[in-house]
């Protein structure tokens, strides 16, 4: 860490570096701390629910290109739009000085053709095994005679991942997505994003719930759509995304000191308690055979591997499963297994759990730090 920094941010970062020196190699930690001081490249995805053909995708990209050339009128070749290696609808700008807010007034954004979202944040919703959700062909159509599948996004606002789930698993099927969020102001952003990105005919199958994920329950007497708004789900879920509230170590930025200010090991412990309650609830809401993706944008094992070990210990019918995503991107710095909490044995090696199947993305100029793990509940 730079010795020149002073003040509360520097103190908090020093405490973070001290805690994480038990888990990361010195070179990894130094790289992270350097990245925290630099702007991350802006990324976005083209919304395939609105941009339904190649011409519409090209039109949305042309609008971004036009704005970039206006922003860089004197040197128009310097900002490139790079296509993401593992998501053909995701893009990142080569110049980290261009901020999303400089593009948000584009008509293509207002019309829901573009959504600004970090590349790491696009990973979790893409990790589900699609075949039980949209049929073995994964072509988007319902498997013949299949009942609608139900998906739950437990901590949904502002809705980047909810709208990805809708795009992948509901827009071309009769599936249903329930998006739950506890924060009344944040649910307004969720509503706005759903309204912008999800076409009218699909929206009745996207339910927004203002509630505590820890109190979601399955209604005793089955389907009553009106009860969903009161946190009563009509049935067990086929798939759950738990993108948990966390201490946010992967998004630290000294350019935005508020991302760091709240961090402490006490805060990490508080987040861990909340995450375990949410994980436990997710287990009870998942049908046997269903899948759960757990993700955080933090780096420490307390909120990641240790939670996976805990929930599998509590509920041995849960199994860690491979992610259904080939992350062929050299910018991803991932998959660290065998974390060692201070003084303890390596996580995973103690329990024999295949924690190497989870993904950890270390923060870079392209990616926020992230953790993703997929679990499957064995059918009884
Ligand atoms: C990491 S953010 C989710 C980001 C979101 N999945 C997305 O992709 O846009 C975590 C969210 O969980 C919400 N939250 C915190 N505690 C919660 C709880 N007990 N139940 C439901 N949501 C909760 C926070 O308000 C926050 O919006």
């Amino acid at each position: 860490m730079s010795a020149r920094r002073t003040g509360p941010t520097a103190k908090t970062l020093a405490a973070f570096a001290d805690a994480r020196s038990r888990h990361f190699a010195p070179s990894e930690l130094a790289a992270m701390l350097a990245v925290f001081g630099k702007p991350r490249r802006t990324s976005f995805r083209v919304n395939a629910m609105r941009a339904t053909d190649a011409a519409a995708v090209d039109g949305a990209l042309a609008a971004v290109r036009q704005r970039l050339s206006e922003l860089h009128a004197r040197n128009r070749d310097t900002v490139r739009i790079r296509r993401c290696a593992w998501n053909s609808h995701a893009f990142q700008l080569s110049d980290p000085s261009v901020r999303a807010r400089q593009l948000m007034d584009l008509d293509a954004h207002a019309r829901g053709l573009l959504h600004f979202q970090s590349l790491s944040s696009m990973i979790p919703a893409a990790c589900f095994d699609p075949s039980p959700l949209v049929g073995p062909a994964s072509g988007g159509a319902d498997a013949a005679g299949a009942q609608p599948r139900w998906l739950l996004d437990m901590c949904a606002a502002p809705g980047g991942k909810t709208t990805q789930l809708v795009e992948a698993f509901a827009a071309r099927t009769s599936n249903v997505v329930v998006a739950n969020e506890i924060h009344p102001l944040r649910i307004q952003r969720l509503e706005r994003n759903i309204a912008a990105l999800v076409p009218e005919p699909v929206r009745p199958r996207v339910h927004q719930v203002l509630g505590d994920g820890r109190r979601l329950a399955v209604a005793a007497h089955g389907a009553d759509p009106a009860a969903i708004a009161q946190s009563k789900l009509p049935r067990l879920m086929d798939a759950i995304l738990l993108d948990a509230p966390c201490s946010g170590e992967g998004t630290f930025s000294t350019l935005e000191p508020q991302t760091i200010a709240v961090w402490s090991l006490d805060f990490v412990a508080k987040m861990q308690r909340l995450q375990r309650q949410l994980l436990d609830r997710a287990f009870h809401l998942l049908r046997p055979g269903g899948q759960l993706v757990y993700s955080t944008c933090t780096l420490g094992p307390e909120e990641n591997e240790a939670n996976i070990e805990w929930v599998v210990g509590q509920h041995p019918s849960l199994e860690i499963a491979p992610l259904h995503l080939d992350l062929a991107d050299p910018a991803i710095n991932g998959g660290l297994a065998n974390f060692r909490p201070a003084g303890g044995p390596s996580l995973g090696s103690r329990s024999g759990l295949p924690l190497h199947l989870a993904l950890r993305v270390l923060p870079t100029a392209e990616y926020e730090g992230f953790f993703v793990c997929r679990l499957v509940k064995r059918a009884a």
Side-chain angles (χ1 to χ4, degrees):
M1 187 177 44
S2 163
R4 277 169 289 140
R5 282 195 209 114
T6 55
T9 303
K11 271 194 184 155
T12 308
L13 270 183
F16 163 82
D18 182 47
R20 295 298 162 235
S21 64
R22 297 180 192 100
H23 308 120
F24 293 99
S27 58
E28 286 166 345
L29 200 51
M32 265 181 225
L33 293 165
V35 161
F36 292 161
K38 297 186 180 136
R40 189 159 292 113
R41 297 196 166 98
T42 292
S43 54
F44 62 89
R45 61 185 169 82
V46 175
N47 173 23
M49 291 184 284
R50 298 253 187 233
T52 50
D53 56 28
V57 175
D58 289 349
L61 291 177
V64 175
R65 244 179 242 114
Q66 170 65 27
R67 173 58 56 84
L68 293 174
S69 70
E70 288 160 18
L71 290 172
H72 286 255
R74 288 196 210 122
N75 194 5
R76 64 178 56 208
D77 280 332
T78 55
V79 189
R80 296 194 193 290
I81 304 175
R82 296 177 181 149
R83 195 182 287 268
C84 172
W86 50 271
N87 178 345
S88 63
H89 276 67
F91 299 88
Q92 191 163 54
L93 305 183
S94 63
D95 180 348
S97 72
V98 180
R99 309 316 302 153
R101 65 175 175 274
Q102 295 173 288
L103 305 166
M104 280 191 176
D105 63 338
L106 288 174
D107 185 51
H109 182 249
R111 290 192 293 129
L113 293 160
L114 302 174
H115 184 67
F116 292 92
Q117 186 175 351
S118 80
L119 288 184
S120 294
S121 158
M122 295 180 205
I123 296 173
C127 289
F128 288 94
D129 177 359
S131 54
L133 301 172
V134 293
S138 299
D142 279 337
Q147 293 295 312
R149 308 293 187 214
W150 281 69
L151 294 93
L152 168 65
D153 188 353
M154 263 179 117
C155 298
K161 299 178 193 71
T162 305
T163 50
Q164 279 182 280
L165 292 176
V166 175
E167 181 182 305
F169 304 120
R172 289 166 297 156
T173 68
S174 55
N175 292 347
V176 180
V177 175
V178 179
N180 178 76
E181 166 60 42
I182 199 170
H183 202 295
L185 280 179
R186 287 177 63 88
I187 205 171
Q188 289 175 14
R189 283 184 66 199
L190 173 70
E191 278 168 13
R192 278 200 301 275
N193 280 327
I194 289 173
L197 298 178
V198 179
E200 202 75 59
V202 185
R203 252 181 262 159
R205 289 183 285 108
V206 183
H207 297 274
Q208 293 151 56
V209 180
L210 175 62
D212 187 334
R214 294 170 292 182
R215 296 195 204 294
L216 286 168
V218 176
H221 300 294
D224 170 8
I228 299 175
Q230 268 82 50
S231 303
K232 293 266 185 276
L233 305 173
R235 46 166 279 188
L236 291 171
M237 298 290 110
D238 296 284
I240 298 179
L241 174 61
L242 172 49
D243 183 39
C246 70
S247 63
E249 295 166 0
T251 63
F252 279 0
S253 168
T254 55
L255 309 172
E256 298 168 61
Q258 74 279 8
T259 59
I260 300 171
V262 71
W263 189 90
S264 68
L265 281 176
D266 284 346
F267 185 60
V268 168
K270 182 177 162 194
M271 287 293 106
Q272 185 193 63
R273 283 193 292 279
L274 172 58
Q275 290 150 356
R276 289 183 179 190
Q277 290 168 335
L278 288 164
L279 273 166
D280 185 63
R281 192 84 298 261
F283 169 81
H284 290 290
L285 297 172
L286 192 64
R287 75 163 166 82
Q291 46 185 326
L292 163 66
V293 169
Y294 175 76
S295 58
T296 72
C297 59
T298 205
L299 300 165
E302 302 89 341
E303 299 174 71
N304 296 322
E305 287 89 344
N307 277 347
I308 299 299
E309 279 202 324
W310 177 85
V311 75
V312 174
Q314 295 292 306
H315 304 295
S317 61
L318 284 176
E319 278 174 1
I320 301 175
L323 306 177
H324 267 258
L325 181 63
D326 180 10
L327 283 167
D329 189 342
I332 284 193
N333 218 329
L336 301 183
N338 295 323
F339 266 83
R340 189 180 294 281
S346 291
L347 290 162
S349 63
R350 181 179 47 187
S351 54
L353 293 177
L355 280 166
H356 61 278
L357 295 178
L359 173 79
R360 178 185 308 277
V361 179
L362 295 185
T364 62
E366 290 86 13
Y367 285 88
E368 292 171 352
F370 234 81
F371 174 84
V372 190
C373 184
R374 190 171 76 94
L375 298 148
V376 171
K377 185 172 178 175
R378 257 197 320 273

